[in-house]
Amino acid sequence: MANFTYLLITISLFLDLMTVHPSTARPTTFLQDFYITWSESHIKQMENGTAIQLQLDPTSGCGFASKNKYLFGHISMKIKLIPGDSAGTVTAFYLNSNTNEIRDELDFEFLGNRSGQPYTVQTNVFARGKGNREQRMNLWFDPAAEFHTYSVLWNQHHIVFFIDSVPIRVFKNIESKGVPYVNSQSMGIYSTLWNADDWATRGGLEKIDWSKAPFYTYYKDFDIDGCTVPGPPSCTNKTNNWWAAPPYQQLDPIQSRKYRWARLNHMIYDYCTDKTRNPVPPPECLAGI
Ligand SMILES: *[C@@H]1O[C@H](CO)[C@@H](O)[C@H](O)[C@H]1NC(C)=O
Ligand SMILES: *[C@@H]1O[C@H](CO)[C@@H](O)[C@H](O)[C@H]1NC(C)=O
């Protein structure tokens, strides 16, 4: 069964390579799209400004944010995480409306671990102030050995978190069932690297080993296709934006298979099935994909 699934994934990766992705790839430097939000001294530009390195040491972590805010789109980033002993560190890559009470937020958080123990990726979805929707997966590869692509597809129909070409999470628009959706506010794109050893690794039991510092995370090939706000008002509702077009309104059969594979084999926590927190599964958990 596992081999069969790997075969399917291999075939579909091959098919993905053959598909002409209708994205508007453009060569860009980090500082054209982003600015530094926290500790300039800990962020270094590399490869002529097309890649960056974030540093965490006992004096500080650091972070950056996009200059623009977006309403719908496709956001992707290649990230290489801290190798070896990364316990207690968190690298976050997320979208955030920055509106306190009615916050919209889509999170990828990479929780470090002791050497040889798997990195965990935690995702969360806040829609109009309601969060508490954590899901966790252990990664099926070493995210510190190579760059991998982490992306979010966001349109009126659903939000999909991808790792490479594998959808790991789908949050459907079921506003019709009374569940708020992320569609009323624009969001910026953020990333931070910081010390979270009070909670991140084995619930806070594993602390950062500062003798291994400084810790580095690398980013490159940021690719943002989306409607900027403020921007042309007609953009947001256009269905001819590729990320909003019919093929992107639900998972295709190959994506659905990969999604089930990832969840069956790698999911370690899901708020949907946490009976202590949610005796009755929240409605979005029953919406299927
Ligand atoms: C950086 O830019 C210079 C000048 O344009 C070029 O010669 C060099 O190959 C570039 N380096 C990288 C790593 O892209
Ligand atoms: C770290 O490794 C332990 C032991 O394998 C595992 O239980 C845990 O889920 C991993 N991730 C985090 C963030 O603690």
Side-chain angles (χ1 to χ4, degrees), residues 18-43:
M18 308 216 359
T19 312
V20 180
H21 200 273
S23 127
T24 49
R26 66 211 149 96
T28 177
T29 66
F30 170 73
L31 287 176
Q32 279 175 307
D33 287 336
F34 297 97
Y35 66 98
I36 294 164
T37 51
W38 176 29
S39 194
E40 190 139 11
S41 61
H42 286 66
I43 299 191

mmCIF file with all atom_site columns, all heavy atoms in Angstrom, residues 18-43:
data_model
loop_
_atom_site.group_PDB
_atom_site.id
_atom_site.type_symbol
_atom_site.label_atom_id
_atom_site.label_alt_id
_atom_site.label_comp_id
_atom_site.label_asym_id
_atom_site.label_entity_id
_atom_site.label_seq_id
_atom_site.pdbx_PDB_ins_code
_atom_site.Cartn_x
_atom_site.Cartn_y
_atom_site.Cartn_z
_atom_site.occupancy
_atom_site.B_iso_or_equiv
_atom_site.pdbx_formal_charge
_atom_site.auth_seq_id
_atom_site.auth_comp_id
_atom_site.auth_asym_id
_atom_site.auth_atom_id
_atom_site.pdbx_PDB_model_num
ATOM 1   N N   . MET A 1 18 ? 5.228  18.566 -15.765 1.00 0.00 ? 18 MET A N   1
ATOM 2   C CA  . MET A 1 18 ? 4.860  18.730 -17.162 1.00 0.00 ? 18 MET A CA  1
ATOM 3   C C   . MET A 1 18 ? 3.783  19.808 -17.347 1.00 0.00 ? 18 MET A C   1
ATOM 4   O O   . MET A 1 18 ? 3.550  20.270 -18.441 1.00 0.00 ? 18 MET A O   1
ATOM 5   C CB  . MET A 1 18 ? 4.320  17.416 -17.722 1.00 0.00 ? 18 MET A CB  1
ATOM 6   C CG  . MET A 1 18 ? 5.276  16.291 -17.450 1.00 0.00 ? 18 MET A CG  1
ATOM 7   S SD  . MET A 1 18 ? 5.415  15.049 -18.699 1.00 0.00 ? 18 MET A SD  1
ATOM 8   C CE  . MET A 1 18 ? 4.317  15.517 -19.946 1.00 0.00 ? 18 MET A CE  1
ATOM 9   N N   . THR A 1 19 ? 3.129  20.153 -16.235 1.00 0.00 ? 19 THR A N   1
ATOM 10  C CA  . THR A 1 19 ? 2.066  21.148 -16.343 1.00 0.00 ? 19 THR A CA  1
ATOM 11  C C   . THR A 1 19 ? 2.695  22.531 -16.414 1.00 0.00 ? 19 THR A C   1
ATOM 12  O O   . THR A 1 19 ? 3.584  22.846 -15.641 1.00 0.00 ? 19 THR A O   1
ATOM 13  C CB  . THR A 1 19 ? 1.173  21.096 -15.092 1.00 0.00 ? 19 THR A CB  1
ATOM 14  O OG1 . THR A 1 19 ? 0.840  19.750 -14.858 1.00 0.00 ? 19 THR A OG1 1
ATOM 15  C CG2 . THR A 1 19 ? -0.081 21.917 -15.275 1.00 0.00 ? 19 THR A CG2 1
ATOM 16  N N   . VAL A 1 20 ? 2.243  23.336 -17.331 1.00 0.00 ? 20 VAL A N   1
ATOM 17  C CA  . VAL A 1 20 ? 2.717  24.713 -17.375 1.00 0.00 ? 20 VAL A CA  1
ATOM 18  C C   . VAL A 1 20 ? 1.924  25.481 -16.328 1.00 0.00 ? 20 VAL A C   1
ATOM 19  O O   . VAL A 1 20 ? 0.726  25.675 -16.456 1.00 0.00 ? 20 VAL A O   1
ATOM 20  C CB  . VAL A 1 20 ? 2.504  25.332 -18.770 1.00 0.00 ? 20 VAL A CB  1
ATOM 21  C CG1 . VAL A 1 20 ? 2.999  26.761 -18.765 1.00 0.00 ? 20 VAL A CG1 1
ATOM 22  C CG2 . VAL A 1 20 ? 3.235  24.507 -19.810 1.00 0.00 ? 20 VAL A CG2 1
ATOM 23  N N   . HIS A 1 21 ? 2.609  25.832 -15.281 1.00 0.00 ? 21 HIS A N   1
ATOM 24  C CA  . HIS A 1 21 ? 1.917  26.527 -14.202 1.00 0.00 ? 21 HIS A CA  1
ATOM 25  C C   . HIS A 1 21 ? 1.698  27.975 -14.598 1.00 0.00 ? 21 HIS A C   1
ATOM 26  O O   . HIS A 1 21 ? 2.634  28.668 -14.968 1.00 0.00 ? 21 HIS A O   1
ATOM 27  C CB  . HIS A 1 21 ? 2.754  26.437 -12.942 1.00 0.00 ? 21 HIS A CB  1
ATOM 28  C CG  . HIS A 1 21 ? 1.955  26.675 -11.709 1.00 0.00 ? 21 HIS A CG  1
ATOM 29  N ND1 . HIS A 1 21 ? 1.747  27.935 -11.211 1.00 0.00 ? 21 HIS A ND1 1
ATOM 30  C CD2 . HIS A 1 21 ? 1.277  25.830 -10.910 1.00 0.00 ? 21 HIS A CD2 1
ATOM 31  C CE1 . HIS A 1 21 ? 0.984  27.841 -10.140 1.00 0.00 ? 21 HIS A CE1 1
ATOM 32  N NE2 . HIS A 1 21 ? 0.684  26.578 -9.936  1.00 0.00 ? 21 HIS A NE2 1
ATOM 33  N N   . PRO A 1 22 ? 0.451  28.426 -14.562 1.00 0.00 ? 22 PRO A N   1
ATOM 34  C CA  . PRO A 1 22 ? 0.167  29.764 -15.085 1.00 0.00 ? 22 PRO A CA  1
ATOM 35  C C   . PRO A 1 22 ? 0.574  30.876 -14.123 1.00 0.00 ? 22 PRO A C   1
ATOM 36  O O   . PRO A 1 22 ? -0.118 31.861 -13.968 1.00 0.00 ? 22 PRO A O   1
ATOM 37  C CB  . PRO A 1 22 ? -1.359 29.718 -15.278 1.00 0.00 ? 22 PRO A CB  1
ATOM 38  C CG  . PRO A 1 22 ? -1.829 28.746 -14.261 1.00 0.00 ? 22 PRO A CG  1
ATOM 39  C CD  . PRO A 1 22 ? -0.726 27.751 -14.056 1.00 0.00 ? 22 PRO A CD  1
ATOM 40  N N   . SER A 1 23 ? 1.680  30.691 -13.454 1.00 0.00 ? 23 SER A N   1
ATOM 41  C CA  . SER A 1 23 ? 2.084  31.712 -12.507 1.00 0.00 ? 23 SER A CA  1
ATOM 42  C C   . SER A 1 23 ? 2.943  32.757 -13.227 1.00 0.00 ? 23 SER A C   1
ATOM 43  O O   . SER A 1 23 ? 3.533  32.497 -14.260 1.00 0.00 ? 23 SER A O   1
ATOM 44  C CB  . SER A 1 23 ? 2.840  31.066 -11.354 1.00 0.00 ? 23 SER A CB  1
ATOM 45  O OG  . SER A 1 23 ? 4.078  31.672 -11.161 1.00 0.00 ? 23 SER A OG  1
ATOM 46  N N   . THR A 1 24 ? 2.987  33.953 -12.663 1.00 0.00 ? 24 THR A N   1
ATOM 47  C CA  . THR A 1 24 ? 3.771  35.001 -13.280 1.00 0.00 ? 24 THR A CA  1
ATOM 48  C C   . THR A 1 24 ? 5.132  35.058 -12.594 1.00 0.00 ? 24 THR A C   1
ATOM 49  O O   . THR A 1 24 ? 5.379  35.909 -11.765 1.00 0.00 ? 24 THR A O   1
ATOM 50  C CB  . THR A 1 24 ? 3.070  36.357 -13.141 1.00 0.00 ? 24 THR A CB  1
ATOM 51  O OG1 . THR A 1 24 ? 2.691  36.502 -11.766 1.00 0.00 ? 24 THR A OG1 1
ATOM 52  C CG2 . THR A 1 24 ? 1.836  36.452 -14.007 1.00 0.00 ? 24 THR A CG2 1
ATOM 53  N N   . ALA A 1 25 ? 5.969  34.085 -12.926 1.00 0.00 ? 25 ALA A N   1
ATOM 54  C CA  . ALA A 1 25 ? 7.289  34.031 -12.299 1.00 0.00 ? 25 ALA A CA  1
ATOM 55  C C   . ALA A 1 25 ? 8.096  35.269 -12.703 1.00 0.00 ? 25 ALA A C   1
ATOM 56  O O   . ALA A 1 25 ? 8.125  35.645 -13.853 1.00 0.00 ? 25 ALA A O   1
ATOM 57  C CB  . ALA A 1 25 ? 8.000  32.760 -12.723 1.00 0.00 ? 25 ALA A CB  1
ATOM 58  N N   . ARG A 1 26 ? 8.685  35.900 -11.711 1.00 0.00 ? 26 ARG A N   1
ATOM 59  C CA  . ARG A 1 26 ? 9.489  37.074 -12.044 1.00 0.00 ? 26 ARG A CA  1
ATOM 60  C C   . ARG A 1 26 ? 10.712 37.061 -11.146 1.00 0.00 ? 26 ARG A C   1
ATOM 61  O O   . ARG A 1 26 ? 10.624 36.681 -9.982  1.00 0.00 ? 26 ARG A O   1
ATOM 62  C CB  . ARG A 1 26 ? 8.659  38.341 -11.861 1.00 0.00 ? 26 ARG A CB  1
ATOM 63  C CG  . ARG A 1 26 ? 8.281  38.579 -10.428 1.00 0.00 ? 26 ARG A CG  1
ATOM 64  C CD  . ARG A 1 26 ? 6.946  39.297 -10.289 1.00 0.00 ? 26 ARG A CD  1
ATOM 65  N NE  . ARG A 1 26 ? 6.308  38.858 -9.060  1.00 0.00 ? 26 ARG A NE  1
ATOM 66  C CZ  . ARG A 1 26 ? 6.405  39.524 -7.918  1.00 0.00 ? 26 ARG A CZ  1
ATOM 67  N NH1 . ARG A 1 26 ? 7.079  40.631 -7.836  1.00 0.00 ? 26 ARG A NH1 1
ATOM 68  N NH2 . ARG A 1 26 ? 5.814  39.062 -6.822  1.00 0.00 ? 26 ARG A NH2 1
ATOM 69  N N   . PRO A 1 27 ? 11.848 37.450 -11.662 1.00 0.00 ? 27 PRO A N   1
ATOM 70  C CA  . PRO A 1 27 ? 13.026 37.496 -10.802 1.00 0.00 ? 27 PRO A CA  1
ATOM 71  C C   . PRO A 1 27 ? 12.859 38.670 -9.860  1.00 0.00 ? 27 PRO A C   1
ATOM 72  O O   . PRO A 1 27 ? 12.494 39.760 -10.287 1.00 0.00 ? 27 PRO A O   1
ATOM 73  C CB  . PRO A 1 27 ? 14.176 37.728 -11.788 1.00 0.00 ? 27 PRO A CB  1
ATOM 74  C CG  . PRO A 1 27 ? 13.545 38.300 -13.007 1.00 0.00 ? 27 PRO A CG  1
ATOM 75  C CD  . PRO A 1 27 ? 12.079 37.971 -12.994 1.00 0.00 ? 27 PRO A CD  1
ATOM 76  N N   . THR A 1 28 ? 13.053 38.451 -8.613  1.00 0.00 ? 28 THR A N   1
ATOM 77  C CA  . THR A 1 28 ? 12.818 39.538 -7.669  1.00 0.00 ? 28 THR A CA  1
ATOM 78  C C   . THR A 1 28 ? 13.786 39.402 -6.505  1.00 0.00 ? 28 THR A C   1
ATOM 79  O O   . THR A 1 28 ? 14.244 38.317 -6.208  1.00 0.00 ? 28 THR A O   1
ATOM 80  C CB  . THR A 1 28 ? 11.359 39.521 -7.177  1.00 0.00 ? 28 THR A CB  1
ATOM 81  O OG1 . THR A 1 28 ? 11.189 40.542 -6.212  1.00 0.00 ? 28 THR A OG1 1
ATOM 82  C CG2 . THR A 1 28 ? 10.978 38.192 -6.575  1.00 0.00 ? 28 THR A CG2 1
ATOM 83  N N   . THR A 1 29 ? 14.108 40.515 -5.894  1.00 0.00 ? 29 THR A N   1
ATOM 84  C CA  . THR A 1 29 ? 14.942 40.421 -4.713  1.00 0.00 ? 29 THR A CA  1
ATOM 85  C C   . THR A 1 29 ? 14.053 40.497 -3.488  1.00 0.00 ? 29 THR A C   1
ATOM 86  O O   . THR A 1 29 ? 12.939 41.029 -3.534  1.00 0.00 ? 29 THR A O   1
ATOM 87  C CB  . THR A 1 29 ? 15.976 41.561 -4.643  1.00 0.00 ? 29 THR A CB  1
ATOM 88  O OG1 . THR A 1 29 ? 15.270 42.782 -4.481  1.00 0.00 ? 29 THR A OG1 1
ATOM 89  C CG2 . THR A 1 29 ? 16.845 41.593 -5.891  1.00 0.00 ? 29 THR A CG2 1
ATOM 90  N N   . PHE A 1 30 ? 14.577 39.987 -2.419  1.00 0.00 ? 30 PHE A N   1
ATOM 91  C CA  . PHE A 1 30 ? 13.865 39.956 -1.159  1.00 0.00 ? 30 PHE A CA  1
ATOM 92  C C   . PHE A 1 30 ? 13.356 41.343 -0.758  1.00 0.00 ? 30 PHE A C   1
ATOM 93  O O   . PHE A 1 30 ? 12.207 41.515 -0.383  1.00 0.00 ? 30 PHE A O   1
ATOM 94  C CB  . PHE A 1 30 ? 14.813 39.377 -0.111  1.00 0.00 ? 30 PHE A CB  1
ATOM 95  C CG  . PHE A 1 30 ? 14.319 39.504 1.281   1.00 0.00 ? 30 PHE A CG  1
ATOM 96  C CD1 . PHE A 1 30 ? 13.289 38.704 1.727   1.00 0.00 ? 30 PHE A CD1 1
ATOM 97  C CD2 . PHE A 1 30 ? 14.881 40.420 2.152   1.00 0.00 ? 30 PHE A CD2 1
ATOM 98  C CE1 . PHE A 1 30 ? 12.814 38.827 3.016   1.00 0.00 ? 30 PHE A CE1 1
ATOM 99  C CE2 . PHE A 1 30 ? 14.418 40.546 3.440   1.00 0.00 ? 30 PHE A CE2 1
ATOM 100 C CZ  . PHE A 1 30 ? 13.384 39.755 3.872   1.00 0.00 ? 30 PHE A CZ  1
ATOM 101 N N   . LEU A 1 31 ? 14.224 42.341 -0.886  1.00 0.00 ? 31 LEU A N   1
ATOM 102 C CA  . LEU A 1 31 ? 13.843 43.667 -0.393  1.00 0.00 ? 31 LEU A CA  1
ATOM 103 C C   . LEU A 1 31 ? 12.870 44.415 -1.305  1.00 0.00 ? 31 LEU A C   1
ATOM 104 O O   . LEU A 1 31 ? 12.352 45.458 -0.933  1.00 0.00 ? 31 LEU A O   1
ATOM 105 C CB  . LEU A 1 31 ? 15.080 44.518 -0.100  1.00 0.00 ? 31 LEU A CB  1
ATOM 106 C CG  . LEU A 1 31 ? 15.836 44.078 1.156   1.00 0.00 ? 31 LEU A CG  1
ATOM 107 C CD1 . LEU A 1 31 ? 17.105 44.884 1.352   1.00 0.00 ? 31 LEU A CD1 1
ATOM 108 C CD2 . LEU A 1 31 ? 14.969 44.145 2.422   1.00 0.00 ? 31 LEU A CD2 1
ATOM 109 N N   . GLN A 1 32 ? 12.614 43.877 -2.501  1.00 0.00 ? 32 GLN A N   1
ATOM 110 C CA  . GLN A 1 32 ? 11.546 44.467 -3.317  1.00 0.00 ? 32 GLN A CA  1
ATOM 111 C C   . GLN A 1 32 ? 10.188 44.141 -2.718  1.00 0.00 ? 32 GLN A C   1
ATOM 112 O O   . GLN A 1 32 ? 9.262  44.941 -2.789  1.00 0.00 ? 32 GLN A O   1
ATOM 113 C CB  . GLN A 1 32 ? 11.610 43.916 -4.742  1.00 0.00 ? 32 GLN A CB  1
ATOM 114 C CG  . GLN A 1 32 ? 12.654 44.617 -5.594  1.00 0.00 ? 32 GLN A CG  1
ATOM 115 C CD  . GLN A 1 32 ? 12.774 43.969 -6.955  1.00 0.00 ? 32 GLN A CD  1
ATOM 116 O OE1 . GLN A 1 32 ? 12.978 42.756 -7.066  1.00 0.00 ? 32 GLN A OE1 1
ATOM 117 N NE2 . GLN A 1 32 ? 12.647 44.768 -7.983  1.00 0.00 ? 32 GLN A NE2 1
ATOM 118 N N   . ASP A 1 33 ? 10.039 42.953 -2.179  1.00 0.00 ? 33 ASP A N   1
ATOM 119 C CA  . ASP A 1 33 ? 8.744  42.496 -1.678  1.00 0.00 ? 33 ASP A CA  1
ATOM 120 C C   . ASP A 1 33 ? 8.592  42.597 -0.158  1.00 0.00 ? 33 ASP A C   1
ATOM 121 O O   . ASP A 1 33 ? 7.474  42.630 0.340   1.00 0.00 ? 33 ASP A O   1
ATOM 122 C CB  . ASP A 1 33 ? 8.523  41.027 -2.066  1.00 0.00 ? 33 ASP A CB  1
ATOM 123 C CG  . ASP A 1 33 ? 8.226  40.860 -3.546  1.00 0.00 ? 33 ASP A CG  1
ATOM 124 O OD1 . ASP A 1 33 ? 7.761  41.829 -4.157  1.00 0.00 ? 33 ASP A OD1 1
ATOM 125 O OD2 . ASP A 1 33 ? 8.466  39.767 -4.083  1.00 0.00 ? 33 ASP A OD2 1
ATOM 126 N N   . PHE A 1 34 ? 9.723  42.592 0.560   1.00 0.00 ? 34 PHE A N   1
ATOM 127 C CA  . PHE A 1 34 ? 9.657  42.474 2.015   1.00 0.00 ? 34 PHE A CA  1
ATOM 128 C C   . PHE A 1 34 ? 10.471 43.553 2.722   1.00 0.00 ? 34 PHE A C   1
ATOM 129 O O   . PHE A 1 34 ? 11.362 44.145 2.123   1.00 0.00 ? 34 PHE A O   1
ATOM 130 C CB  . PHE A 1 34 ? 10.205 41.109 2.452   1.00 0.00 ? 34 PHE A CB  1
ATOM 131 C CG  . PHE A 1 34 ? 9.399  39.948 1.940   1.00 0.00 ? 34 PHE A CG  1
ATOM 132 C CD1 . PHE A 1 34 ? 9.786  39.268 0.792   1.00 0.00 ? 34 PHE A CD1 1
ATOM 133 C CD2 . PHE A 1 34 ? 8.245  39.537 2.584   1.00 0.00 ? 34 PHE A CD2 1
ATOM 134 C CE1 . PHE A 1 34 ? 9.041  38.196 0.299   1.00 0.00 ? 34 PHE A CE1 1
ATOM 135 C CE2 . PHE A 1 34 ? 7.488  38.471 2.106   1.00 0.00 ? 34 PHE A CE2 1
ATOM 136 C CZ  . PHE A 1 34 ? 7.886  37.801 0.966   1.00 0.00 ? 34 PHE A CZ  1
ATOM 137 N N   . TYR A 1 35 ? 10.162 43.764 3.990   1.00 0.00 ? 35 TYR A N   1
ATOM 138 C CA  . TYR A 1 35 ? 11.004 44.625 4.827   1.00 0.00 ? 35 TYR A CA  1
ATOM 139 C C   . TYR A 1 35 ? 11.259 43.900 6.146   1.00 0.00 ? 35 TYR A C   1
ATOM 140 O O   . TYR A 1 35 ? 10.527 42.955 6.492   1.00 0.00 ? 35 TYR A O   1
ATOM 141 C CB  . TYR A 1 35 ? 10.352 45.993 5.045   1.00 0.00 ? 35 TYR A CB  1
ATOM 142 C CG  . TYR A 1 35 ? 9.075  45.956 5.846   1.00 0.00 ? 35 TYR A CG  1
ATOM 143 C CD1 . TYR A 1 35 ? 9.082  46.239 7.219   1.00 0.00 ? 35 TYR A CD1 1
ATOM 144 C CD2 . TYR A 1 35 ? 7.856  45.614 5.260   1.00 0.00 ? 35 TYR A CD2 1
ATOM 145 C CE1 . TYR A 1 35 ? 7.911  46.199 7.968   1.00 0.00 ? 35 TYR A CE1 1
ATOM 146 C CE2 . TYR A 1 35 ? 6.686  45.565 5.996   1.00 0.00 ? 35 TYR A CE2 1
ATOM 147 C CZ  . TYR A 1 35 ? 6.722  45.860 7.349   1.00 0.00 ? 35 TYR A CZ  1
ATOM 148 O OH  . TYR A 1 35 ? 5.573  45.805 8.086   1.00 0.00 ? 35 TYR A OH  1
ATOM 149 N N   . ILE A 1 36 ? 12.276 44.348 6.844   1.00 0.00 ? 36 ILE A N   1
ATOM 150 C CA  . ILE A 1 36 ? 12.654 43.676 8.096   1.00 0.00 ? 36 ILE A CA  1
ATOM 151 C C   . ILE A 1 36 ? 11.844 44.259 9.245   1.00 0.00 ? 36 ILE A C   1
ATOM 152 O O   . ILE A 1 36 ? 11.748 45.478 9.397   1.00 0.00 ? 36 ILE A O   1
ATOM 153 C CB  . ILE A 1 36 ? 14.175 43.803 8.307   1.00 0.00 ? 36 ILE A CB  1
ATOM 154 C CG1 . ILE A 1 36 ? 14.878 43.011 7.193   1.00 0.00 ? 36 ILE A CG1 1
ATOM 155 C CG2 . ILE A 1 36 ? 14.593 43.302 9.690   1.00 0.00 ? 36 ILE A CG2 1
ATOM 156 C CD1 . ILE A 1 36 ? 16.335 43.326 7.009   1.00 0.00 ? 36 ILE A CD1 1
ATOM 157 N N   . THR A 1 37 ? 11.214 43.393 10.015  1.00 0.00 ? 37 THR A N   1
ATOM 158 C CA  . THR A 1 37 ? 10.353 43.863 11.111  1.00 0.00 ? 37 THR A CA  1
ATOM 159 C C   . THR A 1 37 ? 11.065 43.790 12.455  1.00 0.00 ? 37 THR A C   1
ATOM 160 O O   . THR A 1 37 ? 10.645 44.421 13.413  1.00 0.00 ? 37 THR A O   1
ATOM 161 C CB  . THR A 1 37 ? 9.099  42.976 11.226  1.00 0.00 ? 37 THR A CB  1
ATOM 162 O OG1 . THR A 1 37 ? 9.517  41.603 11.275  1.00 0.00 ? 37 THR A OG1 1
ATOM 163 C CG2 . THR A 1 37 ? 8.168  43.199 10.049  1.00 0.00 ? 37 THR A CG2 1
ATOM 164 N N   . TRP A 1 38 ? 12.075 42.969 12.533  1.00 0.00 ? 38 TRP A N   1
ATOM 165 C CA  . TRP A 1 38 ? 12.668 42.700 13.837  1.00 0.00 ? 38 TRP A CA  1
ATOM 166 C C   . TRP A 1 38 ? 14.124 42.273 13.646  1.00 0.00 ? 38 TRP A C   1
ATOM 167 O O   . TRP A 1 38 ? 14.379 41.303 12.938  1.00 0.00 ? 38 TRP A O   1
ATOM 168 C CB  . TRP A 1 38 ? 11.843 41.585 14.519  1.00 0.00 ? 38 TRP A CB  1
ATOM 169 C CG  . TRP A 1 38 ? 12.355 41.113 15.837  1.00 0.00 ? 38 TRP A CG  1
ATOM 170 C CD1 . TRP A 1 38 ? 13.063 41.837 16.756  1.00 0.00 ? 38 TRP A CD1 1
ATOM 171 C CD2 . TRP A 1 38 ? 12.218 39.800 16.388  1.00 0.00 ? 38 TRP A CD2 1
ATOM 172 N NE1 . TRP A 1 38 ? 13.359 41.057 17.841  1.00 0.00 ? 38 TRP A NE1 1
ATOM 173 C CE2 . TRP A 1 38 ? 12.846 39.803 17.644  1.00 0.00 ? 38 TRP A CE2 1
ATOM 174 C CE3 . TRP A 1 38 ? 11.605 38.622 15.939  1.00 0.00 ? 38 TRP A CE3 1
ATOM 175 C CZ2 . TRP A 1 38 ? 12.895 38.674 18.460  1.00 0.00 ? 38 TRP A CZ2 1
ATOM 176 C CZ3 . TRP A 1 38 ? 11.657 37.499 16.748  1.00 0.00 ? 38 TRP A CZ3 1
ATOM 177 C CH2 . TRP A 1 38 ? 12.283 37.528 17.996  1.00 0.00 ? 38 TRP A CH2 1
ATOM 178 N N   . SER A 1 39 ? 15.035 43.060 14.220  1.00 0.00 ? 39 SER A N   1
ATOM 179 C CA  . SER A 1 39 ? 16.466 42.743 14.292  1.00 0.00 ? 39 SER A CA  1
ATOM 180 C C   . SER A 1 39 ? 17.158 42.571 12.937  1.00 0.00 ? 39 SER A C   1
ATOM 181 O O   . SER A 1 39 ? 17.498 41.478 12.515  1.00 0.00 ? 39 SER A O   1
ATOM 182 C CB  . SER A 1 39 ? 16.693 41.485 15.138  1.00 0.00 ? 39 SER A CB  1
ATOM 183 O OG  . SER A 1 39 ? 18.070 41.404 15.443  1.00 0.00 ? 39 SER A OG  1
ATOM 184 N N   . GLU A 1 40 ? 17.394 43.723 12.335  1.00 0.00 ? 40 GLU A N   1
ATOM 185 C CA  . GLU A 1 40 ? 18.092 43.794 11.048  1.00 0.00 ? 40 GLU A CA  1
ATOM 186 C C   . GLU A 1 40 ? 19.436 43.057 11.089  1.00 0.00 ? 40 GLU A C   1
ATOM 187 O O   . GLU A 1 40 ? 19.832 42.417 10.114  1.00 0.00 ? 40 GLU A O   1
ATOM 188 C CB  . GLU A 1 40 ? 18.323 45.277 10.719  1.00 0.00 ? 40 GLU A CB  1
ATOM 189 C CG  . GLU A 1 40 ? 18.810 45.526 9.340   1.00 0.00 ? 40 GLU A CG  1
ATOM 190 C CD  . GLU A 1 40 ? 18.128 46.748 8.718   1.00 0.00 ? 40 GLU A CD  1
ATOM 191 O OE1 . GLU A 1 40 ? 17.449 47.498 9.441   1.00 0.00 ? 40 GLU A OE1 1
ATOM 192 O OE2 . GLU A 1 40 ? 18.306 46.916 7.509   1.00 0.00 ? 40 GLU A OE2 1
ATOM 193 N N   . SER A 1 41 ? 20.107 43.144 12.236  1.00 0.00 ? 41 SER A N   1
ATOM 194 C CA  . SER A 1 41 ? 21.447 42.545 12.346  1.00 0.00 ? 41 SER A CA  1
ATOM 195 C C   . SER A 1 41 ? 21.400 41.027 12.247  1.00 0.00 ? 41 SER A C   1
ATOM 196 O O   . SER A 1 41 ? 22.433 40.386 12.066  1.00 0.00 ? 41 SER A O   1
ATOM 197 C CB  . SER A 1 41 ? 22.085 42.942 13.679  1.00 0.00 ? 41 SER A CB  1
ATOM 198 O OG  . SER A 1 41 ? 21.276 42.462 14.743  1.00 0.00 ? 41 SER A OG  1
ATOM 199 N N   . HIS A 1 42 ? 20.209 40.434 12.370  1.00 0.00 ? 42 HIS A N   1
ATOM 200 C CA  . HIS A 1 42 ? 20.101 38.976 12.325  1.00 0.00 ? 42 HIS A CA  1
ATOM 201 C C   . HIS A 1 42 ? 19.595 38.458 10.981  1.00 0.00 ? 42 HIS A C   1
ATOM 202 O O   . HIS A 1 42 ? 19.315 37.278 10.839  1.00 0.00 ? 42 HIS A O   1
ATOM 203 C CB  . HIS A 1 42 ? 19.200 38.481 13.460  1.00 0.00 ? 42 HIS A CB  1
ATOM 204 C CG  . HIS A 1 42 ? 19.889 38.547 14.793  1.00 0.00 ? 42 HIS A CG  1
ATOM 205 N ND1 . HIS A 1 42 ? 20.244 39.726 15.380  1.00 0.00 ? 42 HIS A ND1 1
ATOM 206 C CD2 . HIS A 1 42 ? 20.313 37.563 15.625  1.00 0.00 ? 42 HIS A CD2 1
ATOM 207 C CE1 . HIS A 1 42 ? 20.850 39.482 16.527  1.00 0.00 ? 42 HIS A CE1 1
ATOM 208 N NE2 . HIS A 1 42 ? 20.906 38.174 16.702  1.00 0.00 ? 42 HIS A NE2 1
ATOM 209 N N   . ILE A 1 43 ? 19.448 39.372 10.018  1.00 0.00 ? 43 ILE A N   1
ATOM 210 C CA  . ILE A 1 43 ? 18.987 38.957 8.691   1.00 0.00 ? 43 ILE A CA  1
ATOM 211 C C   . ILE A 1 43 ? 20.051 39.323 7.665   1.00 0.00 ? 43 ILE A C   1
ATOM 212 O O   . ILE A 1 43 ? 20.499 40.464 7.611   1.00 0.00 ? 43 ILE A O   1
ATOM 213 C CB  . ILE A 1 43 ? 17.639 39.618 8.327   1.00 0.00 ? 43 ILE A CB  1
ATOM 214 C CG1 . ILE A 1 43 ? 16.583 39.171 9.355   1.00 0.00 ? 43 ILE A CG1 1
ATOM 215 C CG2 . ILE A 1 43 ? 17.216 39.249 6.902   1.00 0.00 ? 43 ILE A CG2 1
ATOM 216 C CD1 . ILE A 1 43 ? 15.166 39.521 9.005   1.00 0.00 ? 43 ILE A CD1 1
#
